Amino acid sequence: MLNMKSLSCFATTAGGLNELCREELMSLGATEVKAQPRGVSFQGDIETVYRCCLWSRLANRIFLVVLDTKLENQEALTPTVAKVDWKKHMAADGRFSVSFSGKGLGIDHSHYGALKIKDGIVDYFRDFSGSRPEVDRYAPDLKIHGHLNRNHLTLSIDLIGYSLHQRGYREGQQVTAPLKENVAAALLMRAGWPEIAKNGGCLYDPMCGSGTFLVEAAMMASDLAPGLEKADQMLLNHWKMHQPQIWQDLITEAQHRESEGLRNLPDIYGSDASHKSLDIAQEAIENAGYADSIEIKQMTVEQGRKWGDWQTGLVISNPPYGERLGEIEEVKELYQHLGNYLKAEFDGWQAAILTCNSELGMYLGIKAKRSHEFANGPLECKLLRFDITKEFHREPAIKGGADIAEQVQKTFPDLANSEGAQMFANRLRKNLKQLRKWANRTKAYCYRVYDADMPEYSLAIDYYQTLEEGEWLVVNEYAPPKTVDRQKAKKRLHEAMSVLPDVMELPAGKIIFKVRERQKGASQYERMDESKEYFTVIENGVKLRVNFQDYLDTGLFLDHRDVRAKVAELSKGKSLLNLFCYTASATAIAAAKGAKSSLSVDMSKTYLFWAQNNFWANQIDDRKHMLERADVIAWLEEQAKEPKQTYDVIFMDPPSFSSSKKMEGVLDIQRDHGWMIRKAMQLLTPNGVMVFSNNLRKFKLDELVEMQFDVEDITRKTMPEDFKRNQKIHQVWLIRPKK
């Protein structure tokens, strides 16, 4: 027989609420309280158990354990169940139902496990009275639950019969994906509402939906037992060992506490954009008995203004998550509007926002002081908590990425008028006034318009005129050194991006942003995106393919414009070898301008395919102008041993460093260029010329190379007008055999 002074129980609860539920049950007098994966186990006398059933805001169900044992095998399940003294719990002609969970002893189907337990109960009553109770899934007097973990069987009686989150005020409502009442209660607890309410603070939900936070907050503040409304519907009333006087005394106590609590109920407000949601909320508020205490109105957060007699308190809300495809950008804007509303109207308040995408919290523009993990159905969420004071205000988040100009335009619509932004705009206009005249005169359709001219605005801005979609802008930010304040650098970037659309007369969507840091190995060639969107530009009358998003570089080094023209000039009617050819734009121009033949070598399959497209765009004969995929270092080593072919012109523009997995060793241009030049010169015809270039700012040409060959520095001659502000962008030499 059960010891009514020490009953073993188990409270199930929603995911993530175990610890809060443990604290709650302890506050209700439970002992031996332990948080478990599916809920909380505890002990208590009959009054304590009843109190938990009536007052728990967080539990789903409360089970009374009647058997906890181990089974030897599957066959022992039914006879073990039949040994329980079931007549203590239900009448022989009563109605019962059985549920089952878990696995073990070869039982892995819940229906089969429930059937074996049902058989044990029926066998008990047949042996005891010669009759059997009725199985009734829909209106049982007793619900029995069995759980099997390997060979460990637990049999329990469901004292409630329904989930405790069903308080009663939503009976008959059809609500789409609401926040469950016990989860809402847990969020209010974590947000500190009980203490705020006790001190006279009010509550506001600016996106209240069907009103769950509002009603649960009122129930807490008015000291209403959440199980009181449906106390007579709990199955414990049909349990044969039920103690009706103890139960009634607890109900009377709860009613008295509610009447006292209603006298001190603080103000509770809600608003929402949807009148349909507000209709549902109003019905729930009236059903719960708070029509005179909770005030709601239709209003968006963009329109948000406080009304009524508001003091300090708590703002709590469960905004949309943007989980559906295409919604996330709209939700970001919503969070920005909500953040602006909070900062403008609720200074000194506390706030709690539930989201399943914690990144969205950044768009509120307020620094969270704490976060708690919760589950809302299948969604893993976080409750972000804020103190709405100026010290925690921050600029709305801009994630970054290629579309940063669009983000700045939406997030900071007035930033373009700031002093810093206008200073940058004036410098850019000054550059354009000179460069556009030069570009029109020389037919330059792609050029640099700004190159960190002002150190505070450390950007490189390149203009591209494409055949397919007109003008584009590619902005590269030079990553600031660690000594520069990150917030100041970010603000200056945003200032610059805010004026670019107006100064360049371009939509923000045609401005692509990238961050350019010191490149190591082959990182400048690594894929950054997957847009696969290519455009065609014209240089020197030749069509070249560019890609603005997928790689750090676009496929065309603009500072080498005059270098490519020089290679084409030297190659007219002659053979060309292009080493480290990249997208072979130099070869394409040379071939289109009359080079007799060419071989272009690179180890990247991606860039050689790109080069092939450059050839196709200009109808270049690939029988005369060939591409070869190879590690250039290994290729030079092999070819220089016994040259099978020599070339009139060799163009070599190697990377400064490379540690690609596709090549052996590590290329360091300062260390290795002498060897590379000497090997390549063995493939040059006696009257030929090599064009050697690189972009390493501190590069110094090997003195042995200058002694061994005729060397002419043509760096200044190949520095185009748009790069003269940055004389160290590249270095170029013509190298010939000594006569």
Side-chain angles (χ1 to χ4, degrees):
M1 184 174 175
L2 288 175
N3 180 358
M4 301 297 276
K5 293 185 178 180
S6 182
L7 299 170
S8 294
C9 296
F10 190 86
T12 63
T13 191
L17 304 193
N18 334 35
E19 188 56 37
L20 266 177
C21 188
R22 184 186 73 84
E23 295 172 10
E24 179 189 54
L25 294 176
M26 288 176 65
S27 72
L28 294 172
T31 59
E32 303 295 323
V33 187
K34 295 180 182 178
Q36 307 284 357
R38 298 182 302 116
V40 180
S41 62
F42 67 97
Q43 290 189 0
D45 59 20
I46 190 65
E47 181 178 342
T48 299
V49 174
Y50 281 174
R51 190 177 297 277
C52 293
C53 293
L54 190 62
W55 282 95
S56 177
R57 301 184 189 278
L58 307 181
N60 282 330
R61 296 175 184 270
I62 293 181
F63 292 99
L64 173 66
V65 178
V66 295
L67 179 66
D68 189 26
T69 189
K70 290 184 178 180
L71 303 177
E72 292 185 4
N73 49 46
Q74 182 185 138
E75 289 71 24
L77 176 56
T78 297
T80 299
V81 172
K83 292 178 182 178
V84 176
D85 193 359
W86 290 108
K87 70 177 184 301
K88 300 289 186 182
H89 303 291
M90 64 182 291
D93 59 352
R95 295 167 298 174
F96 75 102
S97 67
V98 180
S99 59
F100 180 88
S101 62
K103 293 181 180 180
L105 303 175
I107 301 173
D108 54 10
H109 194 287
S110 59
H111 180 72
Y112 180 75
L115 185 64
K116 301 300 285 183
I117 292 172
K118 183 269 296 181
D119 289 345
I121 297 171
V122 170
D123 287 351
Y124 167 84
F125 278 106
R126 278 180 176 160
D127 292 342
F128 169 68
S129 64
S131 61
R132 53 164 289 175
E134 178 185 350
V135 176
D136 188 335
R137 292 173 53 198
Y138 303 103
D141 299 320
L142 199 70
K143 281 188 175 182
I144 296 104
H145 181 74
H147 180 74
L148 187 62
N149 181 13
R150 297 183 180 179
N151 68 334
H152 188 176
L153 174 68
T154 305
L155 278 181
S156 304
I157 292 172
D158 184 350
L159 294 175
I160 310 299
Y162 57 88
S163 179
L164 282 170
H165 82 272
Q166 299 168 346
R167 316 289 204 214
Y169 57 83
R170 292 213 183 280
E171 296 296 329
Q173 285 189 339
Q174 298 296 320
V175 183
T176 304
L179 191 67
K180 284 191 174 181
E181 291 84 344
N182 57 343
V183 176
L187 295 167
L188 286 161
M189 287 180 183
R190 278 290 186 229
W193 168 241
E195 190 64 25
I196 292 170
K198 186 178 179 180
N199 293 327
C202 60
L203 180 133
Y204 172 52
D205 183 351
M207 286 174 275
C208 67
S210 58
T212 308
F213 276 136
L214 306 180
V215 176
E216 290 297 318
M219 290 174 67
M220 284 184 183
S222 63
D223 201 19
L224 172 62
L228 184 60
E229 177 68 22
K230 298 172 69 175
D232 60 342
Q233 298 178 34
M234 293 184 186
L235 286 185
L236 59 84
N237 290 286
H238 303 285
W239 177 42
K240 280 191 71 176
M241 298 183 73
H242 177 46
Q243 304 290 310
Q245 189 57 54
I246 295 175
W247 182 238
Q248 186 56 52
D249 288 346
L250 288 172
I251 291 173
T252 302
E253 177 197 16
Q255 292 169 339
H256 177 71
R257 285 174 60 173
E258 181 193 10
S259 63
E260 289 293 316
L262 284 170
R263 296 176 184 177
N264 302 309
L265 184 61
D267 294 330
I268 296 175
Y269 302 92
S271 61
D272 200 276
S274 168
H275 70 86
K276 291 183 179 179
S277 294
L278 291 175
D279 288 344
I280 296 171
Q282 187 62 49
E283 183 183 356
I285 291 166
E286 291 175 359
N287 289 343
Y290 295 111
D292 296 332
S293 307
I294 299 175
E295 188 176 345
I296 60 175
K297 68 183 296 186
Q298 186 174 2
M299 184 175 69
T300 67
V301 291
E302 295 95 322
Q303 302 166 330
R305 293 291 183 273
K306 287 194 290 187
W307 72 93
D309 184 21
W310 300 51
Q311 284 79 40
T312 187
L314 172 70
V315 179
I316 188 167
S317 198
N318 176 28
Y321 305 143
E323 65 267 23
R324 294 184 180 87
L325 190 65
E327 290 182 341
I328 191 68
E329 292 304 318
E330 294 180 15
V331 173
K332 286 178 183 177
E333 288 190 35
L334 178 64
Y335 272 72
Q336 289 171 7
H337 290 306
L338 176 58
N340 292 337
Y341 182 23
L342 293 177
K343 288 184 283 189
E345 296 283 338
F346 297 95
D347 185 53
W349 285 52
Q350 294 182 48
I353 305 297
L354 182 69
T355 179
C356 71
N357 183 347
S358 55
E359 178 190 306
L360 289 170
M362 299 177 63
Y363 289 86
L364 292 167
I366 311 171
K367 184 178 180 181
K369 66 175 181 179
R370 198 170 179 187
S371 67
H372 307 278
E373 293 185 357
F374 280 91
N376 184 14
L379 299 174
E380 294 296 323
C381 301
K382 279 190 177 180
L383 181 71
L384 306 176
R385 293 173 58 189
F386 307 90
D387 284 338
I388 311 174
T389 56
K390 287 186 178 180
E391 65 177 300
F392 293 110
H393 291 190
R394 63 182 181 190
E395 293 294 337
I398 288 185
K399 185 180 178 181
D403 65 341
I404 193 172
E406 288 184 293
Q407 294 185 55
V408 168
Q409 200 172 61
K410 290 179 181 178
T411 308
F412 306 116
D414 300 323
L415 185 60
N417 299 321
S418 67
E419 183 180 349
Q422 285 302 306
M423 181 175 66
F424 178 82
N426 290 337
R427 182 53 185 255
L428 194 56
R429 290 190 182 101
K430 181 180 177 181
N431 287 359
L432 287 170
K433 186 175 181 180
Q434 177 184 350
L435 287 170
R436 280 175 171 163
K437 293 178 182 177
W438 160 80
N440 290 334
R441 185 177 68 252
T442 61
K443 292 184 170 57
Y445 300 106
C446 308
Y447 51 92
R448 180 155 292 183
V449 297
Y450 178 90
D451 198 357
D453 301 11
M454 296 187 293
E456 304 97 320
Y457 298 87
S458 189
L459 305 170
I461 304 176
D462 295 328
Y463 167 87
Y464 289 82
Q465 175 72 48
T466 70
L467 296 183
E468 294 86 354
E469 290 193 21
E471 299 170 302
W472 288 80
L473 215 60
V474 177
V475 180
N476 282 277
E477 180 186 29
Y478 297 114
K482 293 181 179 179
T483 53
V484 174
D485 183 84
R486 290 182 63 186
Q487 291 302 316
K488 288 183 179 178
K490 185 186 293 185
K491 182 182 179 182
R492 289 167 183 158
L493 169 63
H494 293 168
E495 288 173 344
M497 300 304 284
S498 72
V499 298
L500 281 178
D502 180 57
V503 175
M504 298 302 300
E505 298 179 350
L506 273 175
K510 298 187 79 174
I511 300 174
I512 305 299
F513 173 75
K514 304 173 185 177
V515 177
R516 182 176 289 276
E517 301 181 88
R518 175 181 173 85
Q519 300 302 305
K520 298 181 180 180
S523 58
Q524 65 177 326
Y525 305 118
E526 290 176 358
R527 187 178 294 275
M528 298 171 63
D529 205 340
E530 292 283 352
S531 77
K532 298 181 181 178
E533 193 169 16
Y534 290 82
F535 300 97
T536 308
V537 298
I538 301 293
E539 180 178 303
N540 205 357
V542 177
K543 296 177 180 178
L544 299 172
R545 302 286 282 165
V546 292
N547 182 303
F548 299 138
Q549 294 194 57
D550 292 353
Y551 304 90
L552 182 60
D553 291 303
T554 64
L556 187 66
F557 297 124
L558 299 186
D559 65 294
H560 269 56
R561 185 187 310 109
D562 290 359
V563 179
R564 289 187 288 271
K566 185 66 176 179
V567 171
E569 175 192 330
L570 293 169
S571 301
K572 191 170 184 178
K574 298 179 180 179
S575 59
L576 167 68
L577 173 63
N578 186 352
L579 299 173
F580 303 99
C581 71
Y582 189 38
T583 60
S585 52
T587 307
I589 295 172
K593 296 297 181 181
K596 179 178 66 176
S597 63
S598 68
L599 174 65
S600 300
V601 184
D602 200 283
M603 65 180 168
S604 168
K605 183 179 179 180
T606 299
Y607 291 105
L608 288 177
F609 182 71
W610 198 332
Q612 184 68 70
N613 277 273
N614 280 335
F615 287 8
W616 288 337
N618 296 281
Q619 299 179 324
I620 293 170
D621 189 346
D622 57 10
R623 293 170 297 180
K624 296 180 181 179
H625 300 278
M626 305 179 69
L627 300 168
E628 183 173 342
R629 185 185 182 198
D631 171 359
V632 175
I633 303 298
W635 187 90
L636 269 175
E637 178 74 48
E638 182 65 28
Q639 294 294 318
K641 290 178 182 177
E642 294 184 19
K644 298 176 183 177
Q645 182 179 349
T646 55
Y647 302 87
D648 300 315
V649 178
I650 297 176
F651 176 43
M652 184 158 57
D653 178 34
S656 299
F657 300 93
S658 180
S659 56
S660 170
K661 295 178 182 178
K662 298 173 184 175
M663 65 177 282
E664 295 183 10
V666 176
L667 169 63
D668 179 333
I669 190 60
Q670 183 62 65
R671 181 193 66 200
D672 300 330
H673 76 276
W675 177 90
M676 291 165 55
I677 289 172
R678 283 186 281 274
K679 291 292 183 181
M681 291 296 285
Q682 295 180 49
L683 306 179
L684 192 68
T685 58
N687 295 317
V689 59
M690 174 189 290
V691 181
F692 176 76
S693 72
N694 72 78
N695 293 77
L696 184 64
R697 287 177 176 267
K698 296 182 179 180
F699 179 82
K700 294 187 180 298
L701 192 66
D702 188 342
E703 292 180 359
L704 291 177
V705 170
E706 296 186 273
M707 293 171 59
Q708 192 172 355
F709 307 106
D710 284 333
V711 178
E712 178 186 357
D713 188 339
I714 61 169
T715 300
R716 294 180 67 86
K717 295 178 182 178
T718 60
M719 193 65 64
E721 184 70 23
D722 50 327
F723 283 91
K724 285 186 176 177
R725 304 183 305 283
N726 185 0
Q727 293 286 330
K728 295 183 179 181
I729 191 70
H730 69 233
Q731 299 183 69
V732 192
W733 292 266
L734 296 181
I735 303 175
R736 295 180 172 91
K738 280 187 179 283
K739 299 296 184 181

